[in-house]
Amino acid sequence: MRRVVTAVAGGKAVFLADGEPANQHSYEGWPGHATSVIWSTAATPTLPVTRDQEPQPGSIVAPAPGETRLMIVRFPPDSIFADPRFDGPGYEAEAAFHLKGLIDAFEPQGNGMHRTLSIDYDVVLEGEIWLELDDGAETRLSQGDVVVQGGCRHAWRNKGDRDAVMLFVLIGADLRA
């Protein structure tokens, strides 16, 4: 993946970065699954943009209130879970480092259900994927579809036979009682 970042230096627009994001990972424990945390902002973003704002491997992925995270995630077909190469404990160890804070939102049963304290803008870039809610209700999403995820319990299911790729913008939120 190529990621281009622009900024202002000396009063002039410049290319700050052009290449792969530093925080991307293809999982050995879940073959075909990949995550890229492309950029993050503080609760009150500042200009000029600098390279020290780029998320590094091991960075906290779950945004605090007002912070943002931009991610791209590749979901292989769910049939991979029956493949002997799938290694649940191995994946959990990888995710504990590469999805720090976010993986903590997932339920321990391994069912993919999770709830984040964020409002997420989710865009299907490639393929199709099903969004399942906590009561079992689900909807099929195709390339170009957009979801505004409002902090509810949900899971992503790839029931197809090819990868699905999604872009996520997570905006950290406070939970009202």
Side-chain angles (χ1 to χ4, degrees):
M1 166 194 313
R2 178 179 178 204
R3 186 228 32 217
V4 176
V5 179
T6 64
V8 176
K12 181 180 182 301
V14 297
F15 290 107
L16 187 64
D18 186 346
E20 294 184 356
N23 192 356
Q24 62 180 348
H25 184 70
S26 295
Y27 294 82
E28 290 182 31
W30 184 358
H33 181 56
T35 59
S36 298
V37 184
I38 297 172
W39 203 257
S40 64
T41 63
T44 303
T46 59
L47 293 174
V49 171
T50 63
R51 287 297 296 261
D52 64 349
Q53 294 167 304
E54 179 179 15
Q56 298 299 309
S59 297
I60 302 292
V61 177
E67 294 180 344
T68 69
R69 301 294 185 270
L70 173 62
M71 298 179 62
I72 293 187
V73 178
R74 178 174 299 279
F75 295 94
D78 287 355
S79 59
I80 191 67
F81 297 125
D83 188 304
R85 295 175 298 152
F86 177 74
D87 173 11
Y91 169 72
E92 288 177 17
E94 289 176 275
F97 179 77
H98 293 284
L99 296 175
K100 197 171 284 183
L102 181 61
I103 199 65
D104 301 327
F106 283 75
E107 296 176 1
Q109 296 85 355
N111 60 8
M113 295 298 274
H114 61 288
R115 179 180 183 214
T116 57
L117 292 179
S118 59
I119 297 170
D120 305 341
Y121 304 148
D122 311 331
V123 182
V124 181
L125 300 177
E126 294 177 26
E128 60 182 30
I129 197 158
W130 282 254
L131 172 58
E132 180 183 338
L133 302 181
D134 61 5
D135 64 356
E138 59 184 11
T139 190
R140 183 178 67 81
L141 303 163
S142 300
Q143 183 176 348
D145 289 344
V146 177
V147 174
V148 177
Q149 183 65 255
C152 67
R153 184 174 174 260
H154 67 284
W156 299 102
R157 311 280 186 216
N158 184 348
K159 299 178 183 184
D161 59 3
R162 59 185 263 244
D163 290 353
V165 179
M166 295 188 67
L167 177 138
F168 296 90
V169 176
L170 288 73
I171 305 164
D174 282 321
L175 182 62
R176 282 193 228 158

